[in-house]
Amino acid sequence: MKYTLNDLLALMTMLRDKQYGCPWDQKQSFATIAPYTLEEAYEVMDAIVRGNRDDLKDELGDLLFQVVFHAQMASEENAFNFSDVIQTIVEKMLRRHPHVFPDGTFDSYASPNRLTEEEINAQWQVIKAQEKQAKGEHHQGLLDSVSNSVPVLTQAVKLQKKAATVGFDWSDTAPVFNKIREELDELEEAIQHLSKAEAEAELGDVLFAVSNLARHLSIAPEQALMQTNVKFRRRFAYIENQLREREVCLTDCTLKELDQLWDDAKASGL
């Protein structure tokens, strides 16, 4: 049987039904569901990094379920429903893509205005600023629009991008590398002579500088680190499998022996 979006919406309504629904789903709130929403978003990214399209299909379904869950709870409060979510995002995308929909409707799609990527980004920022003004939102500072709730490496990149719009940025990667080396030196000094709190602050500076390099290279730091995590899991699993075949306990190996197995995993292309 082929199910549709309407079936998913009906299922969510039934799960939340006060009389016949699922007790776990019934007691959830926006606050309790939010961590699951974030987790599902990361699992989508993980499937993309691993290149597994079957898992990606599954994880996108889980993420969609989160959207439907939030929309159902909002509907129960008479705040908005799933149709309102669709209406809002379609209106927003039509409004924010005047180079594709010149008059903000689907009817104008056949006569788009060709812009460069830089012009599109600049136009996007102007439109977002106009939307905030129309809502009566007035930010006190340039960086106030960057949410504190996004992952910290992504947040660092967003802060840097905002600052770059007014020229507070380096023009190439050379000074970024110098900054990373400078921050590493300061971290080493803090570890040797300062307190743990000061070492923590210096480590934060190192991570911020590295995220700045990622931005200059047009690389998403969260995704880059996730790829490394996947690689680490894969190579460490190789070590465990090799030792299992040899009937050797992991904890009985020296660091030198583990490093050799790690090099073997690396040489094999893992």
Side-chain angles (χ1 to χ4, degrees):
M1 181 176 180
K2 287 287 186 179
Y3 295 109
T4 67
L5 178 57
N6 286 335
D7 293 318
L8 178 58
L9 294 172
L11 181 147
M12 188 70 253
T13 301
M14 294 173 188
L15 290 176
R16 289 279 294 180
D17 183 79
K18 288 182 171 54
Q19 185 174 2
Y20 299 111
C22 169
W24 187 89
D25 290 284
Q26 291 169 343
K27 70 178 184 180
Q28 300 309 310
S29 66
F30 292 109
T32 61
I33 287 297
Y36 296 102
T37 307
L38 183 60
E39 179 181 333
E40 297 300 350
Y42 272 110
E43 290 184 358
V44 167
M45 183 184 291
D46 176 58
I48 292 171
V49 169
R50 290 185 287 104
N52 190 315
R53 295 297 182 259
D54 286 336
D55 283 356
L56 178 59
K57 175 183 65 177
D58 187 49
E59 298 301 345
L60 285 172
D62 290 343
L63 185 57
L64 176 59
F65 185 77
Q66 292 296 306
V67 176
V68 170
F69 207 136
H70 285 288
Q72 174 62 33
M73 290 187 291
S75 177
E76 293 165 4
E77 295 179 355
N78 293 318
F80 60 83
N81 57 32
F82 188 78
S83 294
D84 297 324
V85 174
I86 295 174
Q87 182 72 23
T88 300
I89 190 58
V90 171
E91 288 178 350
K92 181 189 293 183
M93 291 301 106
L94 288 172
R95 185 171 62 249
R96 291 188 179 180
H97 292 79
H99 52 291
V100 179
F101 309 99
D103 67 1
T105 69
F106 286 110
D107 293 336
S108 59
Y109 175 70
S111 56
N113 300 319
R114 297 302 173 191
L115 299 178
T116 66
E117 186 173 345
E118 290 75 16
E119 290 172 330
I120 291 171
N121 288 335
Q123 175 182 264
W124 183 275
Q125 296 303 322
V126 170
I127 294 172
K128 285 178 65 178
Q130 292 172 343
E131 291 172 351
K132 291 181 183 299
Q133 187 174 15
K135 291 180 179 179
E137 298 179 10
H138 301 285
H139 294 290
Q140 295 179 345
L142 180 67
L143 307 182
D144 289 348
S145 61
V146 178
S147 172
N148 290 320
S149 62
V150 298
V152 289
L153 285 177
T154 300
Q155 185 181 151
V157 170
K158 287 180 175 291
L159 291 170
Q160 295 157 7
K161 283 183 177 180
K162 282 290 186 179
T165 62
V166 294
F168 192 70
D169 194 16
W170 286 300
S171 59
D172 57 65
T173 59
V176 184
F177 278 106
N178 292 335
K179 185 64 175 176
I180 292 174
R181 296 186 185 100
E182 173 190 325
E183 298 296 354
L184 283 171
D185 289 341
E186 292 180 3
L187 174 59
E188 187 174 11
E189 175 72 15
I191 292 172
Q192 293 175 352
H193 303 293
L194 302 176
S195 67
K196 181 178 179 180
E198 288 167 310
E200 181 180 16
E202 294 299 341
L203 179 59
D205 291 345
V206 171
L207 294 173
F208 192 85
V210 170
S211 69
N212 200 359
L213 177 61
R215 179 177 63 87
H216 276 270
L217 297 175
S218 299
I219 294 173
E222 298 280 350
Q223 184 169 343
L225 183 56
M226 179 172 284
Q227 289 175 336
T228 298
N229 289 344
V230 170
K231 180 171 58 180
F232 187 89
R233 288 175 183 269
R234 189 169 60 240
R235 291 179 180 175
F236 200 84
Y238 172 89
I239 293 174
E240 291 178 311
N241 290 334
Q242 289 295 310
L243 292 176
R244 190 178 299 112
E245 291 177 3
R246 303 174 192 180
E247 297 183 347
V248 176
C249 182
L250 187 65
T251 55
D252 291 337
C253 295
T254 65
L255 177 58
K256 183 178 180 179
E257 291 170 331
L258 294 176
D259 277 340
Q260 181 58 58
L261 287 170
W262 179 273
D263 291 339
D264 293 345
K266 188 175 180 180
S268 69
L270 293 176

